[in-house]
Amino acid sequence: MSTHHNHSHAPVPVKVFTDDIDEAAARQLQNVAALPFVHHHVAAMPDVHWGLGATIGPVIPTVGAIVPAAVGVDIGCGMNALRLSLRADQLPDNLAGLRAQIERDVPVGFAGHPDGRWCEAGLGRVAAGLKRIQAKYPVIDARWQSQLGSLGGGNHFIELCLDESDRVWIMLHSGSRGIGNRIGQFFIEQARREMERLDIRLPDRDLAYLAEGSALFDDYVEAVDWAQHYALENRRQMVRLILAALRHQVAQGRLPDFSVTDEAIECHHNYVAHEHHYGRDVLLTRKGAIRARKGDLGIIPGSMGARSYIVRGKGDPESFCSCAHGAGRRMSRAEAKRRFNRADLAAQTEGVECRKDKGVIDEIPGAYKDIDTVMANQTALVDVVHTLKQVVTVKG
């Protein structure tokens, strides 16, 4: 495909699965829809909201080009969930010890493992693919070895939840950590330089793209694929550490022995995949959306004071077989810090063993959309399999 596009064509339609969308997000979606390589239409999930670089919540099918900022910088960010044989009445009355054990065993925030090679098997599964990219682009470097099996900060979390039958679940949300951020930032900047070099004017500089057939396009697709594998391995290693933390509590006599059931779910919600939709093979970008093909199991978390859902996809074609990835923010982090205080946080997370200090006020439930409204807006996309309520939340 030529690297030159005609930018005067009519935009494709935008299908939005909610009425709750602000003007800034709607404008971002229209700008995406105006790109000449977008195929058929753009879909926006019920949790859609304005995002830095590109909207959070769109599903974008492209042919012949890709927009790095539409993928974002937390490449491969997603969720894991698994059910344990434990029941609610087997948990200790005071859950502070469980939270403290997980926080000791899983690095959170900017922290990583002191020994960068703590997990040889996990590192071996992801190491090889990065060497060629880093040899070509030395700037793409980060503490990815020590960060494998670490949570990060922001909206990333680890939770212990109870389902509708009072069974205990582990649920976690994290991505590709610092290395995914480096890859994303680097190629976003490279795409902007390409637009300048080719004198291509865009409605938003963050929609700078890389055209198929270019070396940058191939390198980006390879780097994104690596980061997605790294993010998945990162979550799997955290699951391993969380289970070890719980087994430590068993050894201390604070929990009965337990096993993992066969319900283990993994899903990305910031990623790119080769898929076929509306008669074309496309690169499908989901930024804040999960795949929901017919029968697919997925995880849709609320905020840290709200319910979360295990869902089964219905394979809706208008959504490109997708659904929302969570509640979605209602306000910026800065606005949340202005509007709420520690007392508000304590009230809104009552009954949840979690941080209640000023460092996580920007994650207060009131800063997020109502998860039940989001779910009501996507009954055509998914069926609810389990409803989860967190009792322990760990945040960086």
Side-chain angles (χ1 to χ4, degrees):
M1 168 174 187
S2 168
T3 56
H4 295 276
H5 291 290
N6 173 15
H7 287 268
S8 61
H9 85 304
V12 300
V14 179
K15 168 70 176 178
V16 184
F17 287 84
T18 179
D19 295 326
D20 184 10
I21 179 171
D22 60 73
E23 289 184 15
R27 188 161 54 249
Q28 283 186 322
L29 290 170
Q30 289 295 336
N31 287 340
V32 169
L35 295 171
F37 47 82
V38 174
H39 173 59
H40 203 272
H41 71 277
V42 174
M45 299 300 98
D47 56 340
V48 64
H49 58 285
W50 181 89
L52 187 63
T55 321
I56 312 298
V59 184
I60 309 167
T62 62
V63 177
I66 193 167
V67 180
V71 180
V73 297
D74 197 358
I75 302 165
C77 187
M79 303 282 304
N80 280 36
L82 66 158
R83 197 175 73 196
L84 308 180
S85 61
L86 291 170
R87 301 184 311 273
D89 60 6
Q90 295 175 305
L91 295 176
D93 293 336
N94 187 333
L95 297 170
L98 280 178
R99 176 165 76 97
Q101 186 71 55
I102 294 170
E103 289 172 342
R104 279 194 296 271
D105 292 357
V106 182
V108 301
F110 292 105
H113 293 274
D115 177 3
R117 304 202 63 82
W118 72 279
C119 174
E120 293 290 344
L123 288 169
R125 283 191 286 270
V126 295
L130 188 61
K131 290 181 180 176
R132 196 191 74 80
I133 293 293
Q134 286 187 324
K136 196 168 184 179
Y137 306 109
V139 69
I140 298 177
D141 193 14
R143 297 182 301 117
W144 66 273
Q145 293 177 320
S146 65
Q147 288 184 337
L148 185 67
S150 67
L151 183 62
N155 61 359
H156 294 163
F157 62 80
I158 296 166
E159 289 186 339
L160 298 182
C161 306
L162 304 177
D163 68 12
E164 64 285 342
S165 300
D166 273 349
R167 294 171 296 191
V168 176
W169 290 67
I170 294 170
M171 185 167 72
L172 62 90
H173 172 211
S174 190
S176 50
R177 304 294 284 111
I179 187 64
N181 188 293
R182 290 285 181 90
I183 289 169
Q185 296 282 10
F186 176 79
F187 282 101
I188 288 169
E189 181 57 34
Q190 294 304 306
R192 288 172 179 161
R193 292 181 183 180
E194 277 291 280
M195 298 299 94
E196 293 172 3
R197 184 179 69 82
L198 297 169
D199 195 26
I200 293 175
R201 311 293 170 84
L202 296 167
D204 185 335
R205 70 192 293 261
D206 285 317
L207 296 181
Y209 58 84
L210 302 172
E212 191 171 1
S214 68
L216 278 169
F217 176 94
D218 293 340
D219 290 343
Y220 178 66
V221 170
E222 181 181 354
V224 163
D225 185 64
W226 180 87
Q228 289 170 189
H229 280 96
Y230 177 83
L232 180 59
E233 185 65 29
N234 182 46
R235 292 194 296 274
R236 288 176 176 172
Q237 292 302 326
M238 275 191 284
V239 167
R240 173 185 160 196
L241 291 168
I242 296 161
L243 288 171
L246 296 182
R247 296 199 189 285
H248 183 81
Q249 294 287 300
V250 172
Q252 299 295 316
R254 301 186 184 106
L255 275 180
D257 198 12
F258 66 90
S259 60
V260 177
T261 74
D262 56 359
E263 289 204 41
I265 305 159
E266 301 175 324
C267 58
H268 288 322
H269 56 226
N270 282 13
Y271 73 112
V272 182
H274 293 273
E275 297 187 12
H276 188 86
H277 295 278
Y278 291 96
R280 296 293 299 270
D281 290 328
V282 300
L283 276 170
L284 195 72
T285 297
R286 293 185 176 97
K287 183 181 184 182
I290 64 173
R291 193 182 70 188
R293 297 177 309 187
K294 189 172 180 63
D296 278 348
L297 287 175
I299 309 161
I300 304 177
S303 63
M304 64 178 179
R307 289 180 288 190
S308 299
Y309 294 90
I310 305 297
V311 298
R312 183 174 286 112
K314 291 185 173 182
D316 176 73
E318 286 195 312
S319 71
F320 301 103
C321 300
S322 308
C323 70
H325 81 310
R329 292 195 74 90
R330 181 173 297 284
M331 65 187 70
S332 69
R333 295 184 181 279
E335 184 180 350
K337 289 176 180 177
R338 286 194 301 268
R339 187 176 296 193
F340 298 108
N341 58 35
R342 290 174 62 183
D344 297 321
L345 179 63
Q348 292 183 28
T349 59
E350 186 178 0
V352 181
E353 174 56 48
C354 64
R355 287 178 59 185
K356 301 179 192 283
D357 57 84
K358 65 179 183 179
V360 292
I361 285 177
D362 55 347
E363 282 293 299
I364 192 170
Y368 284 84
K369 293 183 179 182
D370 176 59
I371 186 63
D372 294 319
T373 302
V374 169
M375 297 303 297
N377 284 328
Q378 57 182 357
T379 54
L381 309 184
V382 293
D383 287 320
V384 174
V385 180
H386 294 295
T387 301
L388 308 183
K389 181 68 177 75
Q390 69 276 79
V391 290
V392 175
T393 298
V394 172
K395 296 189 80 71

